[in-house]
Amino acid sequence: MANLLYYRGIGTVGPAKASLMMFNVPVINTMCATLLLGESFGRLQGTGALVLMTGTVLAATQGKLPRRSAGTEAQPSTAGKSTELEGAPAGSA
C-alpha cells in the first residue's frame, strides 16, 4: 500500500521534487522519534540532519547559490506610489 501511494505521489509531483523530499525523510523521522517517542537527539543526529539539509539545498539549486551583483542594492520600491510632489521645490509640501 505504501509503495502504491509513493509511486502515485511521484507521478503527481515528478521525480525531481520527490527525490528532494526523500533527502528529508530521515530528518523528519528523527524529529518525530525525538518528540513522540522520547528518543535522544545528540550531536551526531544534528550533524546528520545538517548534512542532509545541505544536500537538499545543493540539489535544489544545482550547486549554484544566487549571487547579488555589485550594482543592485536593496532599495524600497516606488511602484504604485503617488508622485505628485516630484516637481515641487524642497520644503513646499
Side-chain angles (χ1 to χ4, degrees):
M1 182 69 174
N3 283 339
L4 293 175
L5 293 174
Y6 174 72
Y7 291 125
R8 185 174 180 188
I10 288 176
T12 302
V13 300
K17 289 183 181 180
S19 67
L20 291 177
M21 184 58 196
M22 291 307 292
F23 281 130
N24 293 316
V25 168
V27 177
I28 294 168
N29 288 344
T30 302
M31 287 189 319
C32 288
T34 302
L35 296 173
L36 301 175
L37 301 175
E39 295 288 332
S40 63
F41 187 85
R43 186 176 294 169
L44 186 61
Q45 287 85 1
T47 302
L50 184 64
V51 167
L52 288 170
M53 302 277 280
T54 302
T56 302
V57 170
L58 289 174
T61 61
Q62 297 174 351
K64 300 175 185 174
L65 297 177
R67 297 185 185 230
R68 291 173 40 177
S69 62
T72 59
E73 295 179 6
Q75 296 178 353
S77 175
T78 58
K81 293 185 179 178
S82 176
T83 58
E84 59 190 53
L85 297 177
E86 283 182 5
S92 66

